[in-house]
Amino acid sequence: MDKLTIRGGIPLCGEIRISGAKNAALPILAATLLTDKPVLIGNIPHLHDITTTMELLGLMGSELMLDERMNIEVNNRNVDQLYAPYELVKTMRASILVLGPLLSRYGQAQVSLPGGCTIGSRPVDLHLKGLSAMGAEISVEDGYIHAHARRLHGAYINFDPVTVTGTENLMMAATLADGRTIIENAAREPEVMDLALCLNAMGAKITGAGTGRIEIEGVSQLNGARYDILPDRIETGTYLVAAAMTGGKVKLKNTDPSLLEAVLLKLREAGADITHDDTTISLAMEPGARPKAVDVYTSPFPGFPTDMQAQFTAMNCIAEGRAVITENIFNNRFLHVKELQKMGADLDLAESHVVINGVDRLTSSRITAKDLRASACLILAGLVAQGETLVEQVYHIDRGYETIEEKLMQLGAHIRRLP
Ligand code: UD1
């Protein structure tokens, strides 16, 4: 299994290009199942989760064509296996996103219950409840969801709690349902909005995406379209934190500052000088300065994203002062804490809070990545640690960060992948 070695202590400086957003690409690839016409998707990130999704679609009978610029053309005229097997779904929880489209277009689906990141219990009960309200008959047997519906009908859904993939699954299902669906307390994440824009480009009638109330008027069929995925706000935030922690100066291109205002605010509070235009963000730290400690309280968009919590935990480990991190979305998302303690960080974990007293420096250690964002956090810690840090089980990082070691090397980091 791949490992990364990182020699810390180098301020990151330079320019890199941000990739397309994983969390938009996955639902948009699933959305292609709603039409028998070709859909061309651009700005797809080169990630393991994308390969898994392509494999899943391929098993169902999708024809996929990928070019060297990571544009994917998907043609779903011959899909005949309405089935998502455990072997694939266990590696990527977002596979659940095929359930709504399959059921809506073909009237049936069999999808394994998901696995994915080990960040606490992540049920899909709200997806199933919503589809039932739209007329689906659903049973769960031997770890598989079996769903049937002659034709889904519109329904009033009110999510509690708000769920991102739940909103996406039901929004997709509703596009071909009979009548109007209202999703109240809908997720407002930019990736939900991106999916809605793509579905509308395919002929869906969706209004309100990006707000807490989405309305979908069902149509009889969807068409092909061409759509470019929005930039990855979590990848953007991760490189900004890396630069802030190492006292560096970076320019990130092909991104969008309006997608991560809560994160930029916290970085400024930590002492970073941030400037931007519509597609570029530059961050500079005063040479030699440590970041200041900043409290973090995760909440659904437009609040501070849970997917940036681990990276800010790492930054606070070497910050000046004391910070409290509160995780409100997932109940076991502190797998990185033990590993950071091995590196000499001063963290105290109690239920959904971590109290961090910043230290001058971290020391290198052999540490293990246990989920996607925890992996990013440990790499960031390695970038500031004295000596050579070995991060094991980095396959998690390949699920969500395109060519991370190349991008970090481009910024001057000493990082190497070992088999
Ligand atoms: C998505 C993102 C993930 C991000 C998360 C929160 C994708 C592919 N993944 O995950 O990167 O960390 O949003 O921003 O977009 N819940 C239920 N029942 C359900 C569904 C969810 O109780 O049926 C709970 C979850 O346990 C969790 C909360 O709702 O506590 C939010 O989860 P959700 O928004 O669904 O996360 P994902 O969509 O899985």
Side-chain angles (χ1 to χ4, degrees), residues 28 32 47 74 92 131 147-148 162 181 206 211 222 231 266 290 296 321 349 352 399:
I28 285 175
T32 64
L47 298 172
V74 190
M92 191 189 65
L131 291 170
H148 297 266
V162 48
T181 299
I206 302 173
T211 74
L222 293 182
K266 285 285 162 190
R290 277 165 66 191
V296 162
L349 173 62
S352 60
R399 289 189 41 218

Side-chain angles (χ1 to χ4, degrees), residues 22-24 26-27 49 92-97 117 119-129 159-168 187 189 191-192 233-234 299-301 304-308 327-331 333 372-373 399:
K22 165 177 96 70
N23 286 354
L26 299 179
D49 273 6
M92 191 189 65
R93 180 192 152 75
S95 313
I96 189 72
L97 287 165
C117 285
I119 54 175
S121 77
R122 295 179 78 178
V124 290
D125 56 314
L126 300 175
H127 301 231
L128 304 189
K129 248 196 213 161
F159 278 127
D160 178 22
V162 48
T163 155
V164 175
T165 46
T167 301
E168 292 165 346
E189 269 64 6
E191 294 77 17
V192 174
R233 64 195 164 101
I234 306 302
S299 52
F301 191 86
F304 188 94
T306 172
D307 285 350
M308 284 301 301
E327 172 55 59
N328 295 301
I329 309 293
F330 293 113
N331 58 12
R333 205 170 203 185
L372 169 56
R373 305 303 168 188
R399 289 189 41 218

